[in-house]
Amino acid sequence: MAISCNSLIMDLFLTNTQPASSACTGLLWTTIRLPWKRPKSVVKPILSLQRFQRLVLRSLTLYWQNKNLKVKSAKEGKDQNAKNSLESLLYKPVDRVTRSTLVLHDLLKHTPSSHPDHPLLQDALRISQNFLSSINEEITPRRQSMTVKKGENRQLLRDQFMVELVEGSRKLRHVFLFTDLLLCAKLKKQTGGKGQQYDCKWYIPLADVTFQTIDESESSPVPQIPEEEIDAMKVKISQIKNEMQREKRVCKGGKVLDRLRKKLCEQESLLLLISPCMAFRVSNRNGKGYTFLISSDYEREEWREIIREQQKKCFKSFSLTSLELQMLTNSCVKLQTVHNVPLTINKEYDESTGLYGFLNVIVHSATGLKQSLNLYCTLEVDTFGYFVNKAKTRVYRDATEPNWNEEFEIELEGSQTLRLLCYSKVRQCRDDGENMDRIMAKGQIQLDPQSLQGKDWQRTVISMNGIEVKLSMRFTSREFSLKRMPSRKQSGVFGVKIGAVTKREHSKVPLIVRQCVEEIERRGLEEVGIYRVSGVATDIQALKAAFDANNKDISVMMSEMDVNAIAGTLKLYFRELPEPLFTDELYANFTEGIALSDSVAKESCMLNLLLSLPEPNLLTFLFLLDHLKRVAENESVNKMSFHNLATVFGPTLLRPSEKDSKIPSNPTQPISMSDSWSLEVMSQVQVLLYFLQLEAIPTPDSKRQSMLFSTEV
């Protein structure tokens, strides 16, 4: 037996401070009567609140300290063996409340609603039911609701841990959406063995909830966390997980593992706070606004939909007394459906959880639209616990059954879920990159490793809001996707050594690199997510075939294609080089040089290594480096910082050939999330980031002459 002390105190105090008519006075007393003497006046409170609190707290403390204490009843004095436990005695007033509750039901059934006692009976029934519901600690469907005034049921519709922006600071909150109000609570720290408790920060009746418009949102921009800070946090998390796995293999527990768990919890909690950047803003009827930060448009739309749907039921505005608010906040402990902060440390760590590699997705078509729209789809996957936009189809105009048939290649980092959102094109995105188009439908599917292991395409249908979107998927695991495969025919450019291509073309930089860069700089510098958002795979393959065949109409093809496909073609070229641009021979030197702590020694080492590259490799890299710096100059529009570009291109330019890679190729030892980030990938990112951040790359005179760029380059 476990009784909520606060709930009990408030229920009883609230009942006994209310005036009662003569018809209900005795009934109200019977409902909540405790085993002490009834006072003469029933209109006044039975006890002062302070004294009553002391009595109840004393009783509960006595119970927990003496659970097995046996008490002799006065009626059973003759029987020496007849004893009652303290627990059974404490249950007796509860039994009386249970019986009285049934009487209240019968009385309400036969009392006209116009009778002055009717609201008092309702209040008595409400208090009795809330008291009884606080007895049972088991999580049952009944506990998803609580009775409020006038006999209405307040049900919990949804709850979730979210990040709230409070005066520029990020705070972790637990948000509860009930059938009539939205409540934001703070989870108190558990001390002294106490159970979970919440502190209410604010609430808004659903009738008063409004969503801020774009213009209102622009007045309070969301402070952005630098990408390098977020990725540095990921590196720390990955390194701690590596240490934990090694520790488990060695001793399977101990103080060291406990210390690592604590560090992991701290780092994941911090990442949970700093990673979301998409604003979800709500206001009350007085215009007071509250801002939550989430990572996905999908999640934001879910909250909007469920609130709008509930608002259609025409709830009226109201206000809660301090006692009612405290009772509601206390009930959240039992009503919550999300019990833990969404950290991997709260789950049993499983090295095989999630997929690592590349997921090819074909978005075929959509059916079920009731009117012609300009429709496009975006694809999101989860990584490190939050969702990232990875691909976007073209806009299919004025159609009720759009047929995109577009293929995308999406890199997965421990991903478990694929989300799809369908948008109706309204107007261009805002300057800060936030989408203003209307979401028509959304859905998601779980990425099942078992069904995706085969080489065949897996067809599926996502049903959402009456609209069905057909997809095909095929997964390539990391141990196969990371292989650099030399081309069998040396006449093309993909999979052919860069020196052989430049020698054949009589150029210093391969033609494919120059043409892709020129087209992207012509119309892609302001494209949001350029190089990060996946291009259509069929377009990329068409461009690849055209370059390999030395098609003379390649410029015309590129001008008619989406700029993300051109960016994807350029990335694919560097990824398929049989040897990385930074060469296998120097790869280990670059990763060791970037780890040097002395800045002067690091600069000397990194520049000497760079100038040691073969001339075609060096000139191509410097040409690409200038281009990436021009892309980053438009960061305010395209959202591609130096760090974002280094994250995209670092592994592409530095990842060694299979024979030199440190990544294990044994399929029985899958690549874990921590391996992919902490061992090699982040080192490759840091090397490229170092050169991007250098204002200029000084070169000796012997090299300077050969590095003069002309129209031939």
Side-chain angles (χ1 to χ4, degrees), residues 594-608:
I594 198 64
L596 294 174
S597 56
D598 186 272
S599 58
V600 176
K602 180 188 288 188
E603 181 176 353
S604 175
C605 176
M606 296 298 284
L607 288 176
N608 284 329

Side-chain angles (χ1 to χ4, degrees), residues 451-465:
S451 61
L452 289 173
Q453 284 302 326
K455 296 182 179 180
D456 297 333
W457 287 91
Q458 303 292 323
R459 294 183 68 91
T460 187
V461 175
I462 299 182
S463 299
M464 41 193 181
N465 300 348

Side-chain angles (χ1 to χ4, degrees), residues 646-666:
T647 301
V648 171
F649 274 97
T652 301
L653 300 181
L654 280 102
R655 176 173 48 81
S657 305
E658 184 187 8
K659 62 180 182 296
D660 297 306
S661 176
K662 298 176 184 177
I663 299 179
S665 58
N666 185 354

Side-chain angles (χ1 to χ4, degrees), residues 2 60 82 98 157 205 229 299 306 317 320 329 359 364 427 454 487 506 521 543 561 597 602:
L60 292 177
T98 304
L157 301 177
E229 186 175 334
E299 183 182 336
I306 192 170
S317 181
L320 299 176
T329 306
L359 182 70
H364 294 292
R427 46 181 172 158
S487 175
H506 303 288
E521 292 192 355
L543 282 174
M561 285 187 176
S597 56
K602 180 188 288 188

Side-chain angles (χ1 to χ4, degrees), residues 136-147:
N136 185 11
E137 285 296 323
E138 294 177 357
I139 303 298
T140 64
R142 286 186 309 169
R143 292 172 54 205
Q144 296 307 309
S145 66
M146 58 184 298
T147 306

Side-chain angles (χ1 to χ4, degrees), residues 255-320:
K255 293 182 179 179
V256 176
L257 195 58
D258 292 338
R259 178 177 56 82
L260 290 172
R261 284 197 184 98
K262 184 177 180 181
K263 287 176 62 177
L264 180 60
C265 184
E266 292 173 353
Q267 295 299 323
E268 286 195 331
S269 299
L270 188 54
L271 180 63
L272 180 68
L273 282 177
I274 69 174
S275 57
C277 59
M278 184 176 292
F280 171 49
R281 296 182 170 98
V282 296
S283 302
N284 62 18
R285 60 180 171 181
N286 298 321
K288 170 68 174 175
Y290 303 93
T291 301
F292 295 107
L293 301 179
I294 55 181
S295 61
S296 168
D297 210 6
Y298 187 103
E299 183 182 336
R300 178 168 61 180
E301 187 63 18
E302 274 188 324
W303 279 93
R304 285 176 175 165
E305 282 181 358
I306 192 170
I307 291 175
R308 284 171 178 155
E309 186 65 29
Q310 194 63 22
Q311 285 177 328
K312 293 178 183 178
K313 299 180 180 179
C314 300
F315 283 101
K316 295 181 180 179
S317 181
F318 60 89
S319 61
L320 299 176

